[in-house]
Amino acid sequence: MNDSELDLKDLITSYLKYWKWFVFSVVIFVFLAFVFLRYSTPQYSATAKIQILEDKGASSELSVLQDLDIFSGSNTKMEDEIELLRARDNFLQVVKKLKLNVRYFVLGNIRDRELYGGRFPFAINFISADSIINRSQHSFFVDIKSDTSFQYGEDEDLPFKNHDFGSQIQTKIGNIILVPNTEFIDDYENSRLKVVVSPIPKVASSYGQRVSLSSAEKSNIINISLTDPIQKRAEDIIDELIETNNENAVADKKAIADRTTRFINDRITEIYSNLSSVDESAESFKESRGIADLGSQSNVNFNQSAAGEKQLQEANIQLNIANSMKDLISNQNGYDIVPTNVGLNDQGISSAAQRYNELVARRNRLLESSNEKNPVIVNLDQQLEILKRGMQSSLNNVTNNLDLQVNSLSKQLSQINSRIYAAPSNERALRDISRKQQT
């Protein structure tokens, strides 16, 4: 035991002879850590969560499709929503709105500092068309001498040229004009700035890869995160991405509403035309026969006939709507939005049309930044084809049933009218016109 203690003491003593080196090493490592933390570029993470609301109006008739893998419900919908958020067009709009393709750097001895948030010493006016600037790559340096003058150069190793703010400068991407920001320019006097102009598609692609989108299984929450050297920029990008996605969703609903409105307006125009024709017939008949009052001519047969006429007219309207919907869907080349809430009493068809429009809107937005061979779009096409065939089948059944109903009502109305037609010819003719007016 004493030998062990002696050996440990000798070991410690042998190391203590080099205590200066240990202290020196600690000081060096602390200094290196300080330098790293002082001059390395920090990274900030911004996160957000969005909830995808479920459509409560989905029809129970669509539940049979949940058994199919290509129409598996919540998971498929969340995957579609993530793909829509990640769409290239969304990031193109974000880059344009936030002007992320133009970056300002204040050059330092060890580390450059990037500016963001509008606190720039000057603004850049591009003379060339946006279509050229948005696809251009260019960088230049600016030495600010005062609030009226600066020096401009495209190569840091070559002499810079003197310019005044507001004058045009020739560059490889066209002429530009630097406009001083009087609020901040004094803060950058005698500083050298580097301005980098990048193609918008390239910047959009970069952020599209850096933004993380995910959702937990059986959850309708999408998690969005982005790591960036500038915290405010990361937050702005996520906020603008969500705002752009919401605007696209509103635009999709507006397209459906516009299509439905046009369909309804066409039906109203047709009904109005028929009603005007009946009113003109009644007016002409009364003038030719000298008839002014119809109340005294009402009777039980007339009421029954009017009720039958109303039922027949409603059945005909339903039949016309169903035939119009069937023709519209059958004549579609590919997949296009169909009208919803057009007055058809079949709730299953209305719910299927609503789901169909949602998938068409997602497909159209994905096609803006992809092609029809994309696996997500192929999956949507399969779902759309199933819904399309289902609606066609349902519409065929509805039109067949309505045809039978119209024929049955016509026979019943004919039996009632046979009793009315025993009245004088004037009374009979006027009642025919009056029934049309009531329906």
Side-chain angles (χ1 to χ4, degrees):
M1 184 66 178
N2 292 334
D3 291 340
S4 299
E5 292 178 354
L6 183 62
D7 292 341
L8 179 60
K9 183 177 180 180
D10 292 340
L11 180 63
I12 295 175
T13 303
S14 64
Y15 279 108
L16 285 177
K17 293 188 296 184
Y18 305 101
W19 68 270
K20 295 181 180 179
W21 290 106
F22 285 114
V23 173
F24 179 74
S25 299
V26 171
V27 172
I28 290 297
F29 282 117
V30 170
F31 175 76
L32 291 176
F34 171 78
V35 171
F36 175 79
L37 295 175
R38 174 66 178 82
Y39 294 104
S40 63
T41 302
Q43 298 290 325
Y44 301 93
S45 178
T47 61
K49 297 177 183 289
I50 60 174
Q51 181 180 15
I52 306 301
L53 299 177
E54 294 289 343
D55 180 16
K56 296 181 180 180
S59 171
S60 60
E61 293 185 17
L62 297 178
S63 60
V64 295
L65 298 176
Q66 303 293 337
D67 296 333
L68 301 177
D69 290 339
I70 62 173
F71 202 48
S72 55
S74 179
N75 289 340
T76 300
K77 183 174 183 179
M78 294 305 296
E79 292 172 2
D80 292 346
E81 291 292 342
I82 289 176
E83 287 299 322
L84 289 177
L85 271 170
R86 202 186 296 278
R88 179 172 176 267
D89 184 66
N90 284 347
F91 286 95
L92 288 174
Q93 294 183 49
V94 170
V95 172
K96 290 178 182 179
K97 291 178 181 178
L98 299 179
K99 299 182 180 179
L100 300 177
N101 61 315
V102 181
R103 302 172 68 186
Y104 297 76
F105 297 87
V106 179
L107 303 187
N109 294 327
I110 297 179
R111 180 170 65 92
D112 299 337
R113 176 168 59 93
E114 185 174 0
L115 305 178
Y116 179 77
R119 301 179 63 88
F120 308 129
F122 54 82
I124 307 173
N125 291 340
F126 296 97
I127 306 301
S128 301
D130 289 344
S131 58
I132 297 177
I133 301 301
N134 292 346
R135 298 187 177 276
S136 299
Q137 179 76 49
H138 183 56
S139 63
F140 58 87
F141 300 89
V142 174
D143 288 344
I144 298 177
K145 298 304 179 183
S146 68
D147 58 358
T148 60
S149 63
F150 62 92
Q151 290 183 330
Y152 173 90
E154 296 183 358
D155 191 333
E156 199 172 10
D157 297 327
L158 297 178
F160 286 13
K161 295 181 180 180
N162 293 317
H163 291 276
D164 292 328
F165 283 109
S167 61
Q168 290 196 23
I169 305 172
Q170 291 185 347
T171 71
K172 66 180 184 180
I173 61 174
N175 291 353
I176 63 173
I177 299 176
L178 302 188
V179 180
N181 187 341
T182 56
E183 184 178 357
F184 304 112
I185 193 169
D186 291 339
D187 298 338
Y188 302 96
E189 191 170 332
N190 297 321
S191 298
R192 172 165 292 185
L193 283 85
K194 180 180 181 181
V195 178
V196 179
V197 181
S198 303
I200 285 181
K202 180 180 178 181
V203 179
S205 176
S206 173
Y207 281 111
Q209 296 173 0
R210 291 169 53 190
V211 171
S212 173
L213 300 171
S214 63
S215 67
E217 187 176 357
K218 296 183 180 180
S219 171
N220 62 342
I221 301 294
I222 294 180
N223 301 307
I224 308 174
S225 63
L226 172 63
T227 301
D228 194 80
I230 301 177
Q231 184 175 6
K232 183 65 166 61
R233 181 168 60 194
E235 295 172 354
D236 289 347
I237 290 174
I238 290 179
D239 290 342
E240 194 61 46
L241 179 62
I242 295 174
E243 180 66 23
T244 299
N245 186 69
N246 290 340
E247 290 175 355
N248 290 336
V250 172
D252 293 340
K253 292 181 179 179
K254 184 178 182 300
I256 295 174
D258 290 343
R259 185 64 181 268
T260 302
T261 300
R262 289 196 300 269
F263 184 88
I264 294 175
N265 287 340
D266 291 342
R267 298 296 308 147
I268 290 175
T269 301
E270 181 180 348
I271 294 172
Y272 177 79
S273 176
N274 294 336
L275 183 59
S276 297
S277 176
V278 173
D279 288 342
E280 291 176 0
S281 299
E283 182 180 356
S284 299
F285 184 83
K286 288 180 180 181
E287 290 178 352
S288 63
R289 302 300 176 91
I291 299 174
D293 184 18
L294 294 177
S296 59
Q297 300 177 12
S298 299
N299 53 46
V300 175
N301 286 334
F302 174 79
N303 292 334
Q304 292 177 347
S305 178
E309 191 76 40
K310 183 178 180 180
Q311 293 177 359
L312 180 59
Q313 186 71 11
E314 290 175 352
N316 278 320
I317 290 174
Q318 289 289 304
L319 181 59
N320 290 337
I321 293 175
N323 282 327
S324 298
M325 283 283 291
K326 184 170 67 174
D327 293 341
L328 187 147
I329 294 174
S330 299
N331 294 332
Q332 276 192 356
N333 293 323
Y335 306 105
D336 196 7
I337 291 174
V338 298
T340 59
N341 300 325
V342 294
L344 199 61
N345 292 335
D346 192 296
Q347 187 60 37
I349 295 176
S350 298
S351 299
Q354 185 176 358
R355 176 61 177 166
Y356 183 86
N357 288 340
E358 292 177 0
L359 297 181
V360 169
R362 292 180 189 177
R363 183 179 185 272
N364 291 339
R365 284 168 59 188
L366 288 173
L367 282 175
E368 293 177 359
S369 56
S370 183
N371 56 56
E372 295 184 351
K373 295 182 180 179
N374 185 308
V376 177
I377 296 179
V378 172
N379 183 283
L380 287 175
D381 287 345
Q382 293 174 340
Q383 297 181 43
L384 286 168
E385 190 62 31
I386 291 175
L387 285 172
K388 189 174 184 179
R389 292 177 180 175
M391 285 190 294
Q392 288 175 327
S393 176
S394 297
L395 286 169
N396 285 332
N397 293 335
V398 169
T399 53
N400 290 336
N401 291 335
L402 287 172
D403 277 331
L404 294 175
Q405 185 179 354
V406 168
N407 292 333
S408 176
L409 288 172
S410 297
K411 292 180 180 178
Q412 294 177 15
L413 189 61
S414 178
Q415 294 175 357
I416 295 172
N417 287 339
S418 64
R419 296 192 297 268
I420 295 176
Y421 289 160
S425 60
N426 287 352
E427 182 180 2
R428 184 181 65 235
L430 187 57
R431 286 176 177 172
D432 287 342
I433 296 174
S434 299
R435 282 195 301 273
K436 293 180 179 180
Q437 286 179 310
Q438 291 187 9
T439 57

Short mmCIF file of all heavy atoms in Angstrom, two decimals, residues 347-392:
data_model
loop_
_atom_site.label_atom_id
_atom_site.label_comp_id
_atom_site.label_asym_id
_atom_site.label_seq_id
_atom_site.Cartn_x
_atom_site.Cartn_y
_atom_site.Cartn_z
N GLN A 347 -75.71 15.34 -52.33
CA GLN A 347 -74.60 15.82 -51.51
C GLN A 347 -73.31 15.08 -51.82
O GLN A 347 -72.21 15.64 -51.69
CB GLN A 347 -74.95 15.65 -50.03
CG GLN A 347 -73.94 16.28 -49.06
CD GLN A 347 -73.79 17.76 -49.28
OE1 GLN A 347 -74.75 18.44 -49.57
NE2 GLN A 347 -72.56 18.25 -49.15
N GLY A 348 -73.40 13.82 -52.22
CA GLY A 348 -72.21 13.06 -52.54
C GLY A 348 -71.44 13.66 -53.70
O GLY A 348 -70.21 13.77 -53.67
N ILE A 349 -72.16 14.08 -54.73
CA ILE A 349 -71.50 14.71 -55.89
C ILE A 349 -70.89 16.04 -55.49
O ILE A 349 -69.77 16.37 -55.90
CB ILE A 349 -72.50 14.89 -57.05
CG1 ILE A 349 -72.98 13.51 -57.56
CG2 ILE A 349 -71.88 15.69 -58.18
CD1 ILE A 349 -74.04 13.59 -58.62
N SER A 350 -71.57 16.82 -54.69
CA SER A 350 -71.04 18.11 -54.25
C SER A 350 -69.75 17.94 -53.45
O SER A 350 -68.78 18.67 -53.66
CB SER A 350 -72.09 18.85 -53.40
OG SER A 350 -73.26 19.11 -54.15
N SER A 351 -69.73 16.96 -52.53
CA SER A 351 -68.53 16.72 -51.73
C SER A 351 -67.38 16.22 -52.60
O SER A 351 -66.23 16.63 -52.42
CB SER A 351 -68.83 15.71 -50.63
OG SER A 351 -69.83 16.21 -49.76
N ALA A 352 -67.68 15.33 -53.54
CA ALA A 352 -66.64 14.83 -54.45
C ALA A 352 -66.08 15.96 -55.30
O ALA A 352 -64.87 16.03 -55.55
CB ALA A 352 -67.21 13.72 -55.33
N ALA A 353 -66.95 16.86 -55.76
CA ALA A 353 -66.50 18.00 -56.57
C ALA A 353 -65.60 18.92 -55.76
O ALA A 353 -64.60 19.44 -56.25
CB ALA A 353 -67.69 18.77 -57.11
N GLN A 354 -65.95 19.11 -54.48
CA GLN A 354 -65.13 19.96 -53.61
C GLN A 354 -63.75 19.36 -53.41
O GLN A 354 -62.74 20.05 -53.50
CB GLN A 354 -65.83 20.14 -52.27
CG GLN A 354 -65.14 21.11 -51.33
CD GLN A 354 -65.93 21.34 -50.05
OE1 GLN A 354 -67.01 20.81 -49.89
NE2 GLN A 354 -65.37 22.13 -49.16
N ARG A 355 -63.68 18.05 -53.13
CA ARG A 355 -62.39 17.38 -52.98
C ARG A 355 -61.61 17.39 -54.29
O ARG A 355 -60.39 17.61 -54.31
CB ARG A 355 -62.64 15.93 -52.53
CG ARG A 355 -61.38 15.08 -52.42
CD ARG A 355 -60.40 15.62 -51.42
NE ARG A 355 -59.25 14.75 -51.27
CZ ARG A 355 -58.12 15.10 -50.68
NH1 ARG A 355 -57.99 16.31 -50.18
NH2 ARG A 355 -57.12 14.24 -50.58
N TYR A 356 -62.30 17.20 -55.40
CA TYR A 356 -61.68 17.24 -56.72
C TYR A 356 -61.01 18.59 -56.96
O TYR A 356 -59.87 18.67 -57.44
CB TYR A 356 -62.75 16.96 -57.78
CG TYR A 356 -62.26 16.88 -59.20
CD1 TYR A 356 -61.77 15.70 -59.73
CD2 TYR A 356 -62.32 17.99 -60.05
CE1 TYR A 356 -61.34 15.60 -61.04
CE2 TYR A 356 -61.89 17.92 -61.36
CZ TYR A 356 -61.40 16.73 -61.85
OH TYR A 356 -60.97 16.66 -63.16
N ASN A 357 -61.71 19.68 -56.63
CA ASN A 357 -61.15 21.02 -56.83
C ASN A 357 -59.93 21.27 -55.96
O ASN A 357 -58.98 21.92 -56.39
CB ASN A 357 -62.22 22.08 -56.54
CG ASN A 357 -63.29 22.14 -57.61
OD1 ASN A 357 -63.07 21.70 -58.73
ND2 ASN A 357 -64.44 22.67 -57.28
N GLU A 358 -59.94 20.75 -54.72
CA GLU A 358 -58.77 20.89 -53.86
C GLU A 358 -57.55 20.23 -54.48
O GLU A 358 -56.45 20.81 -54.50
CB GLU A 358 -59.07 20.28 -52.49
CG GLU A 358 -60.11 21.03 -51.67
CD GLU A 358 -60.40 20.33 -50.35
OE1 GLU A 358 -59.77 19.28 -50.10
OE2 GLU A 358 -61.24 20.82 -49.58
N LEU A 359 -57.73 19.02 -55.00
CA LEU A 359 -56.61 18.31 -55.61
C LEU A 359 -56.15 18.99 -56.90
O LEU A 359 -54.95 19.04 -57.18
CB LEU A 359 -57.01 16.85 -55.89
CG LEU A 359 -57.35 15.99 -54.66
CD1 LEU A 359 -57.68 14.57 -55.09
CD2 LEU A 359 -56.20 15.99 -53.68
N VAL A 360 -57.10 19.52 -57.69
CA VAL A 360 -56.73 20.23 -58.92
C VAL A 360 -55.90 21.47 -58.58
O VAL A 360 -54.89 21.78 -59.24
CB VAL A 360 -57.99 20.64 -59.72
CG1 VAL A 360 -57.63 21.61 -60.84
CG2 VAL A 360 -58.65 19.40 -60.31
N ALA A 361 -56.31 22.20 -57.53
CA ALA A 361 -55.56 23.40 -57.13
C ALA A 361 -54.15 23.03 -56.69
O ALA A 361 -53.18 23.71 -57.06
CB ALA A 361 -56.31 24.12 -56.00
N ARG A 362 -54.02 21.96 -55.91
CA ARG A 362 -52.68 21.52 -55.50
C ARG A 362 -51.85 21.12 -56.71
O ARG A 362 -50.66 21.46 -56.81
CB ARG A 362 -52.78 20.33 -54.54
CG ARG A 362 -53.40 20.68 -53.20
CD ARG A 362 -53.46 19.45 -52.32
NE ARG A 362 -54.23 19.70 -51.11
CZ ARG A 362 -54.49 18.78 -50.20
NH1 ARG A 362 -54.06 17.55 -50.37
NH2 ARG A 362 -55.21 19.08 -49.13
N ARG A 363 -52.46 20.40 -57.63
CA ARG A 363 -51.74 19.94 -58.82
C ARG A 363 -51.26 21.13 -59.65
O ARG A 363 -50.10 21.17 -60.11
CB ARG A 363 -52.66 19.06 -59.66
CG ARG A 363 -52.01 18.46 -60.90
CD ARG A 363 -53.01 17.57 -61.64
NE ARG A 363 -52.40 16.89 -62.77
CZ ARG A 363 -52.31 17.39 -63.99
NH1 ARG A 363 -52.80 18.61 -64.24
NH2 ARG A 363 -51.73 16.71 -64.96
N ASN A 364 -52.11 22.12 -59.85
CA ASN A 364 -51.73 23.29 -60.66
C ASN A 364 -50.58 24.06 -60.03
O ASN A 364 -49.67 24.53 -60.72
CB ASN A 364 -52.94 24.21 -60.86
CG ASN A 364 -53.99 23.60 -61.75
OD1 ASN A 364 -53.71 22.67 -62.53
ND2 ASN A 364 -55.22 24.07 -61.66
N ARG A 365 -50.61 24.18 -58.69
CA ARG A 365 -49.54 24.92 -58.03
C ARG A 365 -48.22 24.15 -58.09
O ARG A 365 -47.16 24.74 -58.27
CB ARG A 365 -49.93 25.19 -56.58
CG ARG A 365 -50.96 26.32 -56.43
CD ARG A 365 -51.56 26.39 -55.04
NE ARG A 365 -50.56 26.62 -54.02
CZ ARG A 365 -50.80 26.57 -52.71
NH1 ARG A 365 -52.03 26.31 -52.29
NH2 ARG A 365 -49.84 26.79 -51.83
N LEU A 366 -48.27 22.82 -57.97
CA LEU A 366 -47.05 22.03 -58.08
C LEU A 366 -46.48 22.07 -59.49
O LEU A 366 -45.26 22.05 -59.68
CB LEU A 366 -47.32 20.59 -57.66
CG LEU A 366 -47.55 20.36 -56.15
CD1 LEU A 366 -47.98 18.92 -55.90
CD2 LEU A 366 -46.29 20.67 -55.37
N LEU A 367 -47.36 22.12 -60.50
CA LEU A 367 -46.89 22.16 -61.89
C LEU A 367 -46.16 23.46 -62.22
O LEU A 367 -45.43 23.51 -63.20
CB LEU A 367 -48.08 21.98 -62.85
CG LEU A 367 -48.60 20.55 -63.01
CD1 LEU A 367 -49.85 20.51 -63.88
CD2 LEU A 367 -47.52 19.65 -63.62
N GLU A 368 -46.37 24.51 -61.41
CA GLU A 368 -45.65 25.76 -61.66
C GLU A 368 -44.15 25.60 -61.45
O GLU A 368 -43.37 26.36 -62.02
CB GLU A 368 -46.18 26.85 -60.73
CG GLU A 368 -47.63 27.26 -61.03
CD GLU A 368 -48.15 28.29 -60.04
OE1 GLU A 368 -47.38 28.65 -59.12
OE2 GLU A 368 -49.29 28.73 -60.19
N SER A 369 -43.75 24.62 -60.64
CA SER A 369 -42.33 24.44 -60.37
C SER A 369 -41.86 23.01 -60.61
O SER A 369 -40.79 22.63 -60.19
CB SER A 369 -42.03 24.82 -58.91
OG SER A 369 -42.84 24.09 -58.01
N SER A 370 -42.69 22.19 -61.30
CA SER A 370 -42.30 20.81 -61.55
C SER A 370 -42.96 20.36 -62.85
O SER A 370 -43.43 21.19 -63.64
CB SER A 370 -42.72 19.93 -60.37
OG SER A 370 -42.29 18.61 -60.56
N ASN A 371 -42.96 19.05 -63.11
CA ASN A 371 -43.60 18.53 -64.31
C ASN A 371 -44.48 17.35 -63.93
O ASN A 371 -44.52 16.92 -62.79
CB ASN A 371 -42.55 18.11 -65.36
CG ASN A 371 -41.54 17.11 -64.81
OD1 ASN A 371 -41.91 16.05 -64.32
ND2 ASN A 371 -40.26 17.46 -64.87
N GLU A 372 -45.19 16.82 -64.93
CA GLU A 372 -46.18 15.78 -64.67
C GLU A 372 -45.57 14.44 -64.27
O GLU A 372 -46.28 13.54 -63.86
CB GLU A 372 -47.07 15.59 -65.90
CG GLU A 372 -47.92 16.82 -66.21
CD GLU A 372 -48.86 16.59 -67.38
OE1 GLU A 372 -48.72 15.54 -68.04
OE2 GLU A 372 -49.72 17.46 -67.62
N LYS A 373 -44.23 14.31 -64.38
CA LYS A 373 -43.58 13.06 -63.98
C LYS A 373 -43.21 13.06 -62.50
O LYS A 373 -42.73 12.05 -61.99
CB LYS A 373 -42.34 12.82 -64.83
CG LYS A 373 -42.65 12.60 -66.31
CD LYS A 373 -41.39 12.32 -67.10
CE LYS A 373 -41.70 12.08 -68.59
NZ LYS A 373 -40.48 11.83 -69.39
N ASN A 374 -43.39 14.18 -61.84
CA ASN A 374 -43.13 14.25 -60.40
C ASN A 374 -43.99 13.22 -59.68
O ASN A 374 -45.20 13.14 -59.91
CB ASN A 374 -43.45 15.66 -59.90
CG ASN A 374 -43.08 15.85 -58.44
OD1 ASN A 374 -43.46 15.07 -57.58
ND2 ASN A 374 -42.34 16.91 -58.16
N PRO A 375 -43.41 12.40 -58.78
CA PRO A 375 -44.20 11.35 -58.10
C PRO A 375 -45.41 11.91 -57.36
O PRO A 375 -46.46 11.26 -57.30
CB PRO A 375 -43.19 10.73 -57.13
CG PRO A 375 -41.85 11.01 -57.74
CD PRO A 375 -41.99 12.34 -58.43
N VAL A 376 -45.28 13.10 -56.78
CA VAL A 376 -46.42 13.69 -56.06
C VAL A 376 -47.55 14.01 -57.03
O VAL A 376 -48.73 13.76 -56.75
CB VAL A 376 -45.99 14.96 -55.32
CG1 VAL A 376 -47.19 15.62 -54.63
CG2 VAL A 376 -44.92 14.63 -54.29
N ILE A 377 -47.21 14.55 -58.22
CA ILE A 377 -48.22 14.89 -59.21
C ILE A 377 -48.84 13.61 -59.79
O ILE A 377 -50.05 13.55 -60.04
CB ILE A 377 -47.61 15.77 -60.32
CG1 ILE A 377 -47.16 17.10 -59.72
CG2 ILE A 377 -48.62 16.01 -61.44
CD1 ILE A 377 -46.52 18.04 -60.70
N VAL A 378 -48.02 12.59 -59.99
CA VAL A 378 -48.56 11.30 -60.47
C VAL A 378 -49.57 10.76 -59.46
O VAL A 378 -50.65 10.27 -59.84
CB VAL A 378 -47.41 10.29 -60.69
CG1 VAL A 378 -47.98 8.90 -60.98
CG2 VAL A 378 -46.53 10.75 -61.84
N ASN A 379 -49.25 10.86 -58.17
CA ASN A 379 -50.17 10.42 -57.13
C ASN A 379 -51.47 11.22 -57.16
O ASN A 379 -52.57 10.66 -57.05
CB ASN A 379 -49.49 10.57 -55.77
CG ASN A 379 -50.36 10.07 -54.62
OD1 ASN A 379 -51.28 10.75 -54.22
ND2 ASN A 379 -50.04 8.89 -54.12
N LEU A 380 -51.36 12.54 -57.36
CA LEU A 380 -52.56 13.38 -57.45
C LEU A 380 -53.39 13.02 -58.67
O LEU A 380 -54.63 13.01 -58.61
CB LEU A 380 -52.15 14.86 -57.51
CG LEU A 380 -51.62 15.48 -56.21
CD1 LEU A 380 -51.15 16.90 -56.45
CD2 LEU A 380 -52.69 15.47 -55.13
N ASP A 381 -52.73 12.73 -59.80
CA ASP A 381 -53.46 12.35 -61.01
C ASP A 381 -54.28 11.09 -60.78
O ASP A 381 -55.42 10.96 -61.27
CB ASP A 381 -52.48 12.13 -62.17
CG ASP A 381 -51.90 13.43 -62.69
OD1 ASP A 381 -52.46 14.49 -62.34
OD2 ASP A 381 -50.90 13.39 -63.41
N GLN A 382 -53.72 10.14 -60.03
CA GLN A 382 -54.45 8.91 -59.74
C GLN A 382 -55.69 9.20 -58.89
O GLN A 382 -56.77 8.66 -59.14
CB GLN A 382 -53.53 7.92 -59.02
CG GLN A 382 -52.39 7.41 -59.88
CD GLN A 382 -51.42 6.55 -59.10
OE1 GLN A 382 -51.36 6.62 -57.88
NE2 GLN A 382 -50.63 5.73 -59.79
N GLN A 383 -55.51 10.06 -57.89
CA GLN A 383 -56.66 10.43 -57.05
C GLN A 383 -57.72 11.17 -57.87
O GLN A 383 -58.93 10.91 -57.72
CB GLN A 383 -56.19 11.32 -55.90
CG GLN A 383 -55.22 10.64 -54.96
CD GLN A 383 -54.82 11.56 -53.81
OE1 GLN A 383 -55.66 12.24 -53.25
NE2 GLN A 383 -53.54 11.59 -53.49
N LEU A 384 -57.28 12.08 -58.72
CA LEU A 384 -58.21 12.85 -59.55
C LEU A 384 -58.98 11.96 -60.50
O LEU A 384 -60.18 12.15 -60.74
CB LEU A 384 -57.45 13.93 -60.31
CG LEU A 384 -56.98 15.13 -59.48
CD1 LEU A 384 -56.00 15.99 -60.28
CD2 LEU A 384 -58.18 15.99 -59.06
N GLU A 385 -58.30 10.98 -61.08
CA GLU A 385 -58.96 10.08 -62.02
C GLU A 385 -60.04 9.27 -61.32
O GLU A 385 -61.13 9.05 -61.87
CB GLU A 385 -57.92 9.16 -62.67
CG GLU A 385 -58.46 8.36 -63.84
CD GLU A 385 -58.93 9.25 -64.98
OE1 GLU A 385 -58.36 10.35 -65.17
OE2 GLU A 385 -59.89 8.85 -65.69
N ILE A 386 -59.76 8.82 -60.07
CA ILE A 386 -60.76 8.07 -59.31
C ILE A 386 -61.97 8.94 -59.01
O ILE A 386 -63.12 8.53 -59.19
CB ILE A 386 -60.14 7.54 -58.00
CG1 ILE A 386 -59.12 6.45 -58.31
CG2 ILE A 386 -61.21 7.00 -57.07
CD1 ILE A 386 -58.35 5.95 -57.09
N LEU A 387 -61.72 10.18 -58.56
CA LEU A 387 -62.82 11.09 -58.26
C LEU A 387 -63.61 11.44 -59.51
O LEU A 387 -64.84 11.52 -59.49
CB LEU A 387 -62.26 12.37 -57.63
CG LEU A 387 -61.81 12.26 -56.17
CD1 LEU A 387 -61.11 13.54 -55.73
CD2 LEU A 387 -63.00 11.99 -55.26
N LYS A 388 -62.91 11.65 -60.62
CA LYS A 388 -63.57 12.01 -61.87
C LYS A 388 -64.51 10.89 -62.33
O LYS A 388 -65.67 11.14 -62.71
CB LYS A 388 -62.51 12.31 -62.94
CG LYS A 388 -63.06 12.91 -64.23
CD LYS A 388 -61.91 13.29 -65.15
CE LYS A 388 -62.42 13.97 -66.41
NZ LYS A 388 -61.29 14.35 -67.30
N ARG A 389 -64.03 9.67 -62.30
CA ARG A 389 -64.88 8.53 -62.70
C ARG A 389 -66.04 8.36 -61.74
O ARG A 389 -67.16 8.04 -62.16
CB ARG A 389 -64.04 7.26 -62.75
CG ARG A 389 -63.00 7.25 -63.87
CD ARG A 389 -62.15 6.00 -63.82
NE ARG A 389 -61.14 5.97 -64.87
CZ ARG A 389 -60.20 5.04 -64.98
NH1 ARG A 389 -60.16 4.04 -64.10
NH2 ARG A 389 -59.31 5.09 -65.95
N GLY A 390 -65.76 8.58 -60.44
CA GLY A 390 -66.84 8.46 -59.46
C GLY A 390 -67.93 9.49 -59.69
O GLY A 390 -69.13 9.18 -59.61
N MET A 391 -67.54 10.74 -59.99
CA MET A 391 -68.54 11.78 -60.26
C MET A 391 -69.32 11.47 -61.53
O MET A 391 -70.54 11.69 -61.59
CB MET A 391 -67.85 13.15 -60.38
CG MET A 391 -67.41 13.73 -59.04
SD MET A 391 -66.87 15.46 -59.16
CE MET A 391 -65.40 15.28 -60.16
N GLN A 392 -68.63 10.97 -62.57
CA GLN A 392 -69.34 10.63 -63.81
C GLN A 392 -70.36 9.52 -63.57
O GLN A 392 -71.48 9.58 -64.08
CB GLN A 392 -68.32 10.21 -64.87
CG GLN A 392 -67.48 11.36 -65.42
CD GLN A 392 -66.41 10.90 -66.38
OE1 GLN A 392 -65.85 9.81 -66.23
NE2 GLN A 392 -66.12 11.71 -67.37
#
